[in-house]
């Protein structure tokens, strides 16, 4: 891939990453970290590509281990985040309005 | 045999990337958080389906089996784990993600790559390995498999320097030659660096390290995207790396710490070390019955739950105590410090799990002015977050950290395991205040006794 295109994408993604979390209240730090953690589980598609291109047995085993680990990250990450957030039900909308002021 | 044209693949990956951005955005507010997380999961599913449809893949049955195995291991653990152990679990998932990124990079090294792409390979392997072993240490510390105190040995700083220099050398050889031997050496060095980086961190700072390693894994994933020429990995990894960095700084500042102080404080023999020294100044120790009387005949009680409560699994007992007191006509509130528990926001999750109504959980800014109207402030397993030294003594390591001003209540009761200082390792003057009484013991045991005594009144 063209290095300049990549650089453009990376720089823009950095700013989006900064921007989307800049005002989050401390109450949600833990779920946000957990959610971000789940998102980098998308390395799974990298692991799938690598495993799908390997023909040698030893390398295939390593690649499949990577698939297992990445799946654990992706699936486990989203499930645990959902469980955490499920406990925030019944929260009054009035309360989050106040949180932004901290 | 790829079913999708490259243009469609790119568009589907773009949609997945947008889903991830919306997921992070949604996690900003309690109302949209759960939906945001589901959008993220949908994006991930879309991306995984896309990769199967767009690439010419061998071994598809085996890959599907591996995915099934990974899901079968992770999903039940994620569903069943105790909420107090949730930080460990997040760390664990983060570590395996880093490990997966490192393995992907190693395997790609076999293909003929440009030198500048090999730089990305080296970066992915090193950071992925650091994240893997570093996360393993944080899990061990949080699970108390190893000591939560900083682990430091003489000359550690030099060992760390040597490991880093060796990593640069090994990385240079990998870039120049693409040799598998050097790559394995680099992985081992990365693992060692992760251990050396996290071992010196004290228990209270571990959550911040988890957040930092989370950002690391994001960067490793982004670099692996460069290696594989996959823009979705680049975007998703960079998003996590960037947002994780901001989040780490926000968490550290909520605790009144700097990130570099946490990571390197112990190397400098500095602030995270914490002392175990006990003072022999007199304190007023009281029994569960005394505490019960103070609570039951108060008009307003503010409960300050802390890390000790979470460790003792006392959240259900304290919820019951609050209900019992409320039934006697006492007005009960919970004051939640931003960093109460193991991680910012952790205490809200724990108390929500114990069915404490959300309306009685008050955030620091809301509750601080109310302490002066409270008859009793009941501090359960918290110390540093109520330590007035954060306001009064500029030399203190926690100086500047916002605290809950329990000292303004008419009476203060501490439920503590011992007189040992909190994780920050500093004395709490409030413990020696004449209006303070202490009940020693495990938080859950003490609460059970107090609850029994209240019921007996």
């Amino acid at each position: 891939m063209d290095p300049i295109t990549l650089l453009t994408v990376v720089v823009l993604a950095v700013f989006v990453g900064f921007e989307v979390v800049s005002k989050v209240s401390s109450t949600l730090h833990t779920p946000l970290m957990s959610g971000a953690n789940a998102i980098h589980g998308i390395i799974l598609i990298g692991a799938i590509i690598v495993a799908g291109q390997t023909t040698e047995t030893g390398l295939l085993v390593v690649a499949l281990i990577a698939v297992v680990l990445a799946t654990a990250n992706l699936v486990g990450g989203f499930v645990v985040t959902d469980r955490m957030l499920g406990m925030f039900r019944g929260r009054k909308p009035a309360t989050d309005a106040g949180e932004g002021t901290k | 045999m790829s079913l999708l044209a490259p243009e469609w693949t790119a568009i589907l990956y773009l949609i997945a990337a947008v889903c991830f951005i919306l997921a992070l955005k949604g996690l900003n507010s309690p109302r949209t958080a759960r939906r945001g997380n589901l959008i993220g999961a949908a994006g991930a599913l879309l991306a995984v389906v896309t990769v199967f449809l767009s690439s010419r893949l061998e071994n598809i049955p085996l890959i599907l089996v591996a995915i099934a195995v990974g899901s079968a291991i992770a999903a039940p653990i994620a569903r069943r784990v105790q909420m107090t152990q949730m930080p460990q679990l997040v760390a664990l998932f983060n570590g395996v993600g880093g490990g997966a990124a490192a393995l992907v990079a190693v395997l790609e090294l076999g293909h003929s790559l440009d030198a500048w792409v090999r730089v990305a390979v080296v970066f992915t392997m090193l950071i992925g390995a650091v994240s893997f072993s570093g996360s393993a240490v944080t899990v061990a510390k949080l699970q108390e498999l190893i000591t939560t105190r900083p682990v430091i040995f003489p000359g550690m700083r030099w060992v760390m320097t040597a490991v880093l220099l060796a990593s640069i050398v090994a990385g240079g050889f990998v870039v120049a030659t693409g040799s598998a031997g050097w790559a394995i050496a680099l992985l081992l060095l990365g693992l060692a660096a992760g251990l050396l980086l996290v071992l010196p961190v004290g228990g209270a700072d571990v959550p911040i390290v988890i957040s930092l390693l989370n950002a690391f894994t994001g960067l490793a994933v982004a670099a692996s995207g460069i290696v594989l020429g996959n823009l979705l990995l680049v975007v998703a990894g960079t998003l996590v790396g960037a947002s994780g960095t901001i989040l780490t700084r926000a968490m550290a500042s909520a605790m009144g710490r700097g990130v570099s102080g946490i990571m390197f404080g112990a190397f400098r023999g500095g602030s995270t070390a914490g002392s175990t020294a006990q003072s022999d100044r007199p304190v007023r120790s009281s029994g569960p019955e005394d505490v019960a009387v103070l609570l039951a005949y108060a008009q307003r009680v503010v409960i300050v739950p802390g890390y000790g409560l979470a460790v003792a699994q006392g959240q259900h007992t304290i919820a019951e105590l609050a209900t019992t007191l409320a039934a006697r006509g006492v007005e009960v509130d919970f004051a939640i410090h931003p960093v109460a528990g193991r991680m910012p926001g952790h205490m809200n999750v724990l108390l929500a799990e114990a069915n404490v109504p959300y309306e009685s959980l008050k955030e620091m800014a809301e509750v601080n002015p109310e302490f002066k109207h409270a008859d009793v402030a009941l501090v359960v397993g918290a110390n540093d977050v109520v330590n007035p030294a954060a306001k009064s003594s500029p030399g203190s390591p926690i100086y500047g950290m916002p605290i809950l001003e329990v000292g303004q209540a008419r009476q203060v009761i501490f439920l503590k395991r011992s007189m040992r200082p909190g994780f920050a390792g500093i004395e709490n003057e409030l413990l020696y205040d004449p209006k303070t009484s202490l009940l020693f013991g495990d938080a859950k045991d003490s609460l059970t006794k107090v609850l029994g005594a209240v019921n007996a009144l």
Side-chain angles (χ1 to χ4, degrees):
Chain A
M1 206 178 300
D2 170 22
I4 298 303
T5 313
L6 271 177
L7 184 66
T8 311
V9 170
V10 167
V11 170
L12 293 179
V14 165
F15 278 94
V16 174
F18 284 166
E19 201 53 39
V20 286
V21 298
S22 55
K23 288 193 190 96
V24 66
S25 94
S26 63
T27 316
L28 282 169
H29 279 173
T30 296
L32 182 65
M33 175 164 97
S34 181
N37 176 43
I39 287 172
H40 66 51
I42 199 63
I43 184 62
L44 175 60
I45 67 172
I48 291 173
I49 292 173
V50 173
Q53 291 169 346
T54 309
T55 40
E56 198 184 315
T57 316
L59 296 180
L60 178 61
V61 170
V62 177
L64 290 176
I65 292 173
V67 173
V68 172
L69 296 181
T71 311
N73 183 181
L74 189 71
V75 175
F78 281 117
V79 171
V80 83
T81 310
D82 186 61
R83 207 178 130 204
M84 240 183 264
L85 293 170
M87 290 169 185
F88 281 92
R89 261 177 306 191
R91 182 177 257 263
K92 288 184 300 183
T95 329
D96 12 329
E99 276 161 9
T101 58
K102 266 196 316 207
Chain B
M1 59 162 245
S2 49
L3 297 172
L4 282 176
E7 294 78 21
W8 280 106
T9 307
I11 286 172
L12 291 175
Y13 280 159
L14 177 62
I15 295 173
V18 170
C19 285
F20 292 154
I21 294 171
L22 292 177
L24 289 174
K25 189 80 199 152
L27 283 164
N28 269 307
S29 150
R31 270 170 301 163
T32 54
R34 202 165 186 197
R35 193 175 62 212
N37 186 54
L38 290 177
I39 292 172
L45 183 66
L46 175 70
V48 171
V49 172
T50 305
V51 75
F52 276 109
L53 294 182
S54 63
S55 318
R56 191 181 291 274
L57 296 176
E58 312 283 334
N59 314 314
I60 287 181
L62 283 173
I63 295 173
L64 290 175
V65 169
I67 291 176
V69 170
S71 314
I73 296 171
I77 302 178
R79 257 194 219 112
R80 283 195 213 122
V81 71
Q82 293 267 358
M83 271 296 143
T84 40
Q85 294 177 322
M86 187 259 317
Q88 290 88 308
L89 191 68
V90 173
L92 186 70
F93 289 148
N94 178 47
V96 296
L103 292 180
V104 167
V106 175
L107 292 168
E108 271 302 290
L109 202 56
H111 301 187
S112 55
L113 299 170
D114 293 340
W116 72 272
V117 178
R118 282 212 286 262
V119 173
V121 170
V122 166
F123 184 83
T124 312
M125 289 197 311
L126 194 60
I127 302 294
V130 166
S131 182
F132 181 78
S133 64
S135 298
V137 177
T138 60
V139 172
K141 277 184 190 257
L142 289 172
Q143 199 69 20
E144 305 200 14
L145 298 173
I146 58 172
T147 172
T148 59
R149 300 232 153 250
V151 178
I152 313 163
F153 54 84
M156 193 165 194
R157 184 201 309 228
W158 301 113
V159 177
M160 187 69 178
T161 311
V163 166
L164 289 180
L165 287 177
S167 308
I168 293 170
V169 172
F173 274 104
V174 173
V175 171
T177 65
S179 118
W182 283 108
I184 289 168
L186 184 65
L187 274 187
L188 294 175
L189 287 166
L191 293 175
L195 293 181
L196 291 169
L197 195 63
V198 182
L199 279 173
V201 175
D205 294 328
V206 165
I208 293 172
V209 176
I210 297 178
S211 178
L212 187 69
L213 292 175
N214 187 36
F216 276 17
T217 306
L219 295 178
V221 170
S224 79
I226 294 176
V227 176
L228 291 165
N230 186 306
L231 270 180
L232 176 60
L233 290 182
V234 174
V235 172
T238 309
L239 275 177
V240 176
S243 60
T245 308
I246 295 286
L247 189 57
T248 307
R249 283 187 48 199
M251 284 167 86
S253 75
M255 298 175 82
R257 317 292 304 267
V259 176
S260 72
I262 290 164
M263 297 310 295
F264 306 113
F267 279 124
R268 291 195 292 257
S271 59
T272 58
S275 87
T276 47
Q278 298 190 8
S279 163
D280 43 11
R281 285 160 66 190
V283 292
R284 199 169 65 164
S285 161
S286 54
E289 293 77 16
D290 309 326
V291 174
V293 169
L294 279 177
L295 291 175
Y297 295 102
Q299 302 245 305
R300 298 207 56 180
V301 172
V302 181
I303 300 177
V304 179
Y307 167 68
L309 177 77
V311 175
Q313 296 277 315
Q315 65 268 35
H316 292 279
T317 320
I318 204 161
E320 202 183 333
L321 179 64
T323 321
T324 311
L325 290 174
R328 295 181 65 101
V330 183
E331 208 179 317
V332 184
D333 283 317
F334 287 86
I336 312 290
H337 191 271
V339 296
R342 261 311 195 190
M343 285 196 209
H346 191 192
M347 191 53 66
N348 301 62
V349 176
L350 292 173
L351 292 175
E353 190 194 18
N355 291 322
V356 175
Y358 187 78
E359 298 75 60
S360 53
L361 302 188
K362 301 228 166 129
E363 303 218 3
M364 186 165 59
E366 188 186 356
V367 81
N368 263 345
E370 294 187 20
F371 274 113
K372 53 180 171 293
H373 308 298
D375 299 303
V376 181
L378 176 66
V379 183
V380 187
N383 191 358
D384 294 333
V385 298
V386 297
N387 192 338
K391 294 186 91 173
S392 58
S393 47
S396 159
I398 59 167
Y399 183 70
M401 178 173 85
I403 57 160
L404 290 166
E405 294 171 16
V406 296
Q408 296 185 356
R410 259 163 239 130
Q411 296 272 339
V412 182
I413 305 169
F414 276 87
L415 303 192
K416 278 176 72 63
R417 269 192 294 195
S418 66
M419 280 303 287
R420 246 175 54 180
F423 266 113
I426 5 168
E427 287 255 32
N428 189 342
E429 281 302 319
L430 199 54
L431 296 175
Y432 307 101
D433 196 290
K435 70 182 174 192
T436 300
S437 41
L438 290 100
L439 174 56
F440 290 109
D442 171 83
K444 190 178 180 182
D445 290 348
S446 299
L447 285 168
T448 312
K449 284 181 200 150
V450 171
L451 182 60
V454 169
N455 283 329
L457 282 173

